[in-house]
Amino acid sequence: MPARSATTAIRVLPITSEVEGFLEESYPSFRSLVRNNEKIWNATLDAEEGYTIFAPSEDAIAALGEEKLSHLRDDAELAHIVASYHFINELVTEEELSVAGGVVTQGGTLPVGQQTCGIFGLGGKECGVTINEANLVKSSEISNCIIHEVDSLVCPESVLQHLAVMTDLNNPTEDEDP
């Protein structure tokens, strides 16, 4: 991906069918979760210089389990909170993330760090970017959007814990004692 200079003029475009098509083809489960979230898309449209999306891989979404996914589909407010941490209202390249200590998403600030490679992280070198402990897998630039694939959700642990609690409350297990 070519580096951008601070003086590069960026043409402002709305969320394009090209971006939507890419999300639908490459990240259909994530696209399904954010498809009808007007708050997210409207805030993204307000981005003056483009936008960035952290798109969890299909494996990352599947790792949530069907009960949590079902709850996210049914709870629009919680789905909005989760999704808001995956959108940034400006272009942020992988190179920019690699030197950032944090990033401001629509949902709030998330820590950004470096992955260390090597045996048990010893003797290794920095070899990748993490966003709130999610590893950045690859990046794609489409129109006025940068999409970073991540290997898990990037929202804070407190949001994930809330999702787990709400899922448990809506799916009580039966007591097996007679």
Side-chain angles (χ1 to χ4, degrees), residues 173-178:
T173 58
E174 292 182 29
D175 192 355
E176 296 181 4
D177 291 342

Side-chain angles (χ1 to χ4, degrees), residues 98-168:
S98 71
V99 295
V103 65
V104 179
T105 68
Q106 289 183 23
T109 302
L110 293 174
V112 175
Q114 287 288 321
Q115 220 179 358
T116 303
C117 295
I119 299 173
F120 303 112
L122 300 174
K125 60 179 183 170
E126 293 178 351
C127 63
V129 175
T130 61
I131 301 91
N132 199 35
E133 299 184 25
N135 296 310
L136 191 149
V137 176
K138 65 181 177 179
S139 299
S140 303
E141 197 165 340
I142 299 164
S143 186
N144 66 329
C145 177
I146 297 174
I147 299 172
H148 299 294
E149 180 179 320
V150 290
D151 66 358
S152 65
L153 297 180
V154 299
C155 50
E157 184 62 30
S158 60
V159 174
L160 297 175
Q161 288 173 351
H162 181 74
L163 173 60
V165 167
M166 295 307 294
T167 301
D168 288 346

Side-chain angles (χ1 to χ4, degrees), residues 15-24 141-144 147:
I15 295 173
T16 65
S17 58
E18 186 179 9
V19 171
E20 290 184 71
F22 182 80
L23 288 174
E24 190 67 46
E141 197 165 340
I142 299 164
S143 186
N144 66 329
I147 299 172

Side-chain angles (χ1 to χ4, degrees), residues 10-14 45 47-50 144:
I10 299 172
R11 190 170 140 223
V12 178
L13 300 170
L45 286 172
E48 294 182 17
E49 295 184 356
N144 66 329

Side-chain angles (χ1 to χ4, degrees), residues 1-6 8 93 95-96 141:
M1 183 166 24
R4 290 184 301 113
S5 73
T8 302
T93 66
E95 291 82 15
E96 291 167 330
E141 197 165 340

Side-chain angles (χ1 to χ4, degrees), residues 30 33-34 37 40 54 72 78-87 105-107 154-155:
F30 176 68
L33 288 175
V34 299
N37 195 321
I40 293 291
F54 296 117
L72 279 173
L78 185 55
H80 170 73
I81 291 167
V82 168
S84 67
Y85 283 97
H86 291 81
F87 287 79
T105 68
Q106 289 183 23
V154 299
C155 50

